[in-house]
Every structure is written in C-alpha cells, then in structure tokens.
Amino acid sequence: MKKIFSKIVSVGLILCMGLAMASCAKKKDMTVQKGKLTMATNAYFPPYEYYDNNKIVGIDAEIAEAIAKKLDLELVIQDVEFDSIIAGVQSNKYDIGMAGMTVTDERKLAVNFSSTYATGIQAVIVAEDSEITDVDMLLDGDYKVGVQQGTTGDIYLTDDVGEDRVVRFSKGNDAVLALSTGKVDAVVIDNEPAKSFVAANEGLKILETSYAVEDYAMCINKNNTELLDAINKALKELTDDGTIAAIIEKYIPSNG
Ligand code: ARG
C-alpha cells in the first residue's frame, strides 16, 4: 500500500515537472527570436514612430518598450515598408507590427489585433490657397490625391475615387513633398503625422473636415494567441496605471 502510494506520488511529480518544463519551453517560443520582441514599423510617421538621431522614437516605440519590459523581452525595432508589415507578421518574420496601424476587417482576415491603444483620423492636407475646402469637394472633383502605399488612406480613397486619381508613395512625407511641389492636389494621411508634416512644410494646411476615424492596434500572427494574450494583459496594466496616457501626452500634449 505504502509502496503504491509513493509510486503514485513520484509519477505525479514527474508529470508535474514535465508540464512545468513544457510550459517553460512554450514561453521561450512565444517570439520569433528567443528573448526578443521583434517589432516591424515604418519609421516616418511622427509622433508614432520617427528617427531622432538614428534612434526610432515615438508613441509606438515607447509603448512597445514598456510592453517588452513587462514580458521580460528585449525590444528590437525593424524599419520596413508599411505595406510589407502584415505579410512579415504572417510569415513570422516579426512578432508584432506596430505602426499607427488601423484595425480593419480586411486586415483582421490576415492577422490578429491587440486591444486598441489610440485613435486615428484620416485627415486631408491641401495647399494653403487650395480651392478644395472639404472632403466632399475632394472626392467629387477630379483632383489627384497622394497617399502612403497600402495605408487605409490609400485603400479608402481607391475605393471612393478609383485608381486613376490616387498617387502612391512609399513614405508619407514623400506624398507631402509632392503636394508642396504641386504634383498632387491633396494628401490623405493620419491626423497627427499630418500636423507634423504641415508644421515642417510651408504653405500647407489641414482641412477641417476629416475623412475617417479609426482605431490603432498592434498586429500579431494569427497562430500566436499566447503572445496576443500576454500583450493584451500588459497593455491593460499599462493603461490602468496611466503609462499609456502619459506616453501619448508626452508626444501629443493635450493643451497645445
Ligand atoms: N493608420 C494608417 C493605416 O493603418 C496608416 C499607418 C501608417 N503608418 C506608418 N508607420 N507609416 O493604414
């Protein structure tokens, strides 16, 4: 009787150890590179991601850093073309895509999204002396509109006005440059980058009416629900303790 009991106990112990090891091993496999959180972004999108002396900074970079810290991972940021981020996340090249990325139903077919951490607005930039005064006028006319390739600005506009009137650029500021030199009549881009591009280039303004309101989130491989859950948990803690709000406030001060 005693013998059987100790046998049960030791078998039980071995099972427990096995389980513990398995869950440990699983944890290590949660990211594409052991011990690292690899984030893909497109770093020409202030104040979410941009270069400051060779270092990528901004709201997304800081939130990702805080999440990585909570998950005990080292954050590695890779600057890539915006329209290659989702495919790279799907093929496990990167753990997450974080790039002021809008949650859309179509993208949800390809990747999972974390909880949202910010709101975005698709804004319209025009020359200060432009005859275009609102979004309807932009859509109804035969104006050429610059966008960053593969962004929601690109997708919605192409839907609304057709290929011929949409001019695609690999970076948002290239689209703004084309507007400054009169190659396009307007640019549709997210509101916060729009503000910083307008501040950096003379003779441009943002229309008061906006084109679309959207939510930003991180995208994650559909099979990696473990990382999704861990990120959402970290995100919730960082929201609850005010960290996220403080990071956003640092880059987008609410009173000016
Ligand atoms: N919010 C838009 C989208 O998801 C534009 C994002 C562009 N981001 C960037 N880092 N360039 O399509």
Side-chain angles (χ1 to χ4, degrees):
M1 185 67 181
K2 233 181 164 182
K3 235 182 179 169
I4 287 179
F5 183 71
S6 78
K7 224 179 198 161
I8 291 175
V9 169
S10 54
V11 166
L13 266 174
I14 287 168
L15 264 174
C16 279
M17 272 168 67
L19 274 176
M21 273 163 72
S23 78
C24 212
K26 242 178 122 194
K27 251 227 165 92
K28 280 196 188 128
D29 288 346
M30 189 165 72
T31 59
V32 293
Q33 258 194 298
K34 213 197 225 162
K36 297 188 173 158
L37 182 68
T38 308
M39 157 182 163
T41 196
N42 176 254
Y44 301 90
F45 202 68
Y48 297 96
E49 43 266 332
Y50 59 98
Y51 282 94
D52 181 19
N53 289 320
N54 287 329
K55 189 175 184 263
I56 297 173
V57 298
I59 294 172
D60 289 346
E62 284 202 31
I63 293 178
E65 187 68 59
I67 289 174
K69 208 166 170 191
K70 278 211 180 272
L71 304 186
D72 207 14
L73 296 167
E74 181 200 335
L75 179 69
V76 178
I77 303 182
Q78 295 202 20
D79 182 18
V80 301
E81 293 291 314
F82 180 77
D83 69 350
S84 75
I85 295 176
I86 289 186
V89 166
Q90 278 185 296
S91 65
N92 283 320
K93 213 163 151 189
Y94 323 114
D95 295 307
I96 62 169
M98 190 176 194
M101 187 180 280
T102 305
V103 180
T104 72
D105 287 340
E106 204 182 325
R107 289 175 180 167
K108 273 194 202 159
L109 298 175
V111 283
N112 279 337
F113 279 99
S114 69
S115 318
T116 70
Y117 61 88
T119 306
I121 291 171
Q122 291 301 311
V124 183
I125 310 176
V126 294
E128 235 153 34
D129 58 0
S130 171
E131 60 177 24
I132 304 168
T133 52
D134 58 36
V135 172
D136 288 338
M137 203 173 156
L138 174 76
L139 298 180
D140 293 343
D142 54 10
Y143 305 104
K144 292 253 187 256
V145 192
V147 295
Q148 182 181 19
Q149 169 130 346
T151 59
T152 45
D154 178 6
I155 298 162
Y156 302 157
L157 257 183
T158 306
D159 259 13
D160 281 350
V161 305
E163 293 279 340
D164 292 350
R165 286 180 42 204
V166 179
V167 187
R168 304 190 171 96
F169 297 87
S170 104
K171 297 185 182 85
N173 33 343
D174 293 343
V176 175
L177 222 64
L179 175 62
S180 289
T181 54
K183 292 193 182 94
V184 295
D185 304 297
V187 166
V188 169
I189 194 161
D190 305 50
N191 194 42
E192 291 302 329
K195 281 190 207 158
S196 69
F197 292 146
V198 165
N201 293 274
E202 248 167 61
L204 304 178
K205 66 175 183 195
I206 299 174
L207 291 185
E208 262 160 46
T209 53
S210 56
Y211 185 42
V213 179
E214 19 188 59
D215 288 322
Y216 291 167
M218 277 158 267
C219 69
I220 303 160
N221 188 292
K222 276 219 183 266
N223 297 320
N224 201 350
T225 51
E226 195 183 354
L227 182 62
L228 176 72
D229 293 344
I231 284 180
N232 278 339
K233 184 167 172 273
L235 208 47
K236 185 174 184 319
E237 289 167 10
L238 293 165
T239 304
D240 291 348
D241 73 7
T243 305
I244 302 285
I247 292 172
I248 294 177
E249 177 70 27
K250 172 177 164 189
Y251 288 93
I252 311 175
S254 48
N255 44 8

